Amino acid sequence: MVKLLYKPFGIIFGLLGGLLASALFSKVWKAVTHQDDAPDPGDEERGWKEILPALALKGAIAGVVKGLIHRGGATGVRGLTGTWPA
């Protein structure tokens, strides 16, 4: 039952996490490369040497943020209900 009740909150937190990860990636990219925009995979004029590091960094940040949010939410639910939701 706790898993079912947790599901809508997990979806909302996941969406917020995506926004947070995107904003964090933009800040990290700008700090590391001193470029305002990361290369887009669909940009024909950008090469693999530019695109792959951006994709790897974006994926790493998204994975960490997703994991933190999932773990934090599950820990919070366990604290409130005594049951692990995931």
Side-chain angles (χ1 to χ4, degrees), residues 18-86:
L19 294 172
L20 176 65
S22 181
L24 183 59
F25 168 72
S26 294
K27 287 187 181 288
V28 171
W29 183 260
K30 188 173 182 176
V32 171
T33 65
H34 305 293
Q35 297 175 356
D36 288 333
D37 296 324
D40 184 89
D43 188 353
E44 185 178 15
E45 296 171 6
R46 293 283 184 76
W48 287 107
K49 288 182 180 181
E50 295 175 278
I51 292 170
L52 289 178
L55 292 174
L57 180 62
K58 189 172 191 173
I61 290 172
V64 168
V65 169
K66 180 181 176 184
L68 288 172
I69 289 173
H70 180 72
R71 183 70 181 201
T75 302
V77 167
R78 184 182 63 196
L80 292 172
T81 67
T83 303
W84 192 262

Side-chain angles (χ1 to χ4, degrees), residues 3-20:
K3 287 182 184 181
L4 184 61
L5 293 174
Y6 176 71
K7 199 63 144 170
F9 292 103
I11 292 170
I12 292 168
F13 290 142
L15 292 172
L16 293 174
L19 294 172
L20 176 65

